[in-house]
């Protein structure tokens, strides 16, 4: 691997900044200052040091879960609102990360973040029917037959095709656990609107077999375990 590519992949330096660091003598490879970023290195055995600090190879792909707080948007740029990526400023190459699907600005809970596009697609593709569970708090008491209507599929406003069958557990008349296997625009809110109600708070608790870590406070995140990553790699047809 080229030295400059290794530096860019494993630090926040761009290619031009890596080149400047090399030329100014801030980079050492096995104790020797290289002359060019074109130098070939072996990441598994060569030691690359920047300003006296070892540059360690980062995982080729990264997988995180975040407990998303209210008020943050799932985007890489936004001129008006804070970004979920603002909460990850300790990570390098944040621009390469993306959220797996999106949560609305006012929705909280489990958010997956990765730089693995294929893995992300397996989770979000409508063909894979990955189950997602939300806890919703409602403005009004539920109608008596809400469970039956949700299990049968609901026709949303401005949408001809009904939703896929979903399941709902009634915690109280104004609090429910809803599990859906689609990802339509504002789907949960629109489903309850079709039932004559309104969602006043929404929190995602799980995606597939991955549940939000109860030890993860809002605004915090952690790496997914290998088991969690692999469980979401199993396509649900």
């Amino acid at each position: 691997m080229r030295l400059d590519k290794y530096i860019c992949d494993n630090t926040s330096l761009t290619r031009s900044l890596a080149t400047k660091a090399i030329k100014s003598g801030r980079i050492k490879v096995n104790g020797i200052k290289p002359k060019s970023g074109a130098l070939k290195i072996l990441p598994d055995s060569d030691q690359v040091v920047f300003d006296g600090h070892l540059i360690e190879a980062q995982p080729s792909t990264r997988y995180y879960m975040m407990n998303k707080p209210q008020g943050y948007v799932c985007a890489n740029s936004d001129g008006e609102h804070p970004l979920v990526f603002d909460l990850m400023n300790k990570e390098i190459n944040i621009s390469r990360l993306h959220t797996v699907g999106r949560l609305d600005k006012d929705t909280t809970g489990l958010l997956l973040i990765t730089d693995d596009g294929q893995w992300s697609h397996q989770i979000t593709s409508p063909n894979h029917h990955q189950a997602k569970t939300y806890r919703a708090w409602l403005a009004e008491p539920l109608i008596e037959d809400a469970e039956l209507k949700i299990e049968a599929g609901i026709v949303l406003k401005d949408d001809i095709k009904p939703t896929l069958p979903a399941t709902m557990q009634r915690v109280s008349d104004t609090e429910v656990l809803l599990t859906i296997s689609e990802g339509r625009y504002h789907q949960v809110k629109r489903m309850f609107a079709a039932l004559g109600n309104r969602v006043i708070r929404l929190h995602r608790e799980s995606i597939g077999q991955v549940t939000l870590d109860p030890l993860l406070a809002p605004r915090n995140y952690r790496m997914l375990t290998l088991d969690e990553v692999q469980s979401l790699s199993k396509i649900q047809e």
Side-chain angles (χ1 to χ4, degrees), residues 3 22-23 27 49 53 80 115 119 151 162-163 166 174-175 217 221 225 231 235:
L3 173 61
I22 293 168
K23 290 183 177 180
I27 301 290
V49 173
H53 299 284
E80 299 181 10
D115 51 11
W119 182 78
E151 289 174 4
T163 60
T174 56
E175 181 182 347
Y221 65 95
T225 67
S231 75
I235 299 176

Side-chain angles (χ1 to χ4, degrees), residues 15 22 25 31 35 39 54 56 74 90 102 109 116 124-125 133 136 146 150 154 158 163 188 190 197 199 204 208 236:
R15 183 65 67 90
I22 293 168
K35 297 180 179 179
L39 176 69
L54 180 66
E56 296 184 2
C74 297
K90 294 182 179 180
R102 295 190 176 192
D116 186 341
T124 58
S125 171
T133 298
I150 284 176
I154 295 176
D158 300 325
T163 60
V188 174
R190 293 168 68 202
N197 214 319
V199 174
R204 185 158 67 189
Q236 306 296 316

Side-chain angles (χ1 to χ4, degrees), residues 103-213:
L103 290 178
D104 299 337
K105 180 169 67 72
D106 58 345
T107 300
T108 62
L110 177 61
L111 179 66
L112 302 178
I113 296 172
T114 187
D115 51 11
D116 186 341
Q118 183 176 1
W119 182 78
S120 177
H121 176 72
Q122 288 180 344
I123 299 169
T124 58
S125 171
N127 296 325
H128 299 159
H129 307 310
Q130 193 70 260
K132 297 173 284 289
T133 298
Y134 297 82
R135 186 177 296 269
W137 289 265
L138 308 173
E140 304 291 339
L142 276 168
I143 58 176
E144 290 186 3
D145 61 347
E147 289 89 345
L148 294 176
K149 291 181 180 295
I150 284 176
E151 289 174 4
I154 295 176
V155 176
L156 306 177
K157 183 179 180 181
D158 300 325
D159 206 336
I160 299 175
K161 187 178 179 180
T163 60
L164 292 177
T167 60
M168 187 182 74
Q169 175 186 345
R170 191 184 298 236
V171 179
S172 72
D173 282 344
T174 56
E175 181 182 347
V176 302
L177 285 172
L178 176 70
T179 299
I180 62 176
S181 57
E182 298 177 280
R184 302 192 197 185
Y185 180 72
H186 290 173
Q187 181 173 339
V188 174
K189 295 178 180 179
R190 293 168 68 202
M191 287 174 70
F192 286 106
L195 296 176
N197 214 319
R198 180 171 60 89
V199 174
I200 59 175
R201 183 183 167 197
L202 189 61
H203 180 84
R204 185 158 67 189
E205 298 201 339
S206 66
I207 300 175
Q209 299 179 38
V210 175
T211 300
L212 179 63
D213 190 332

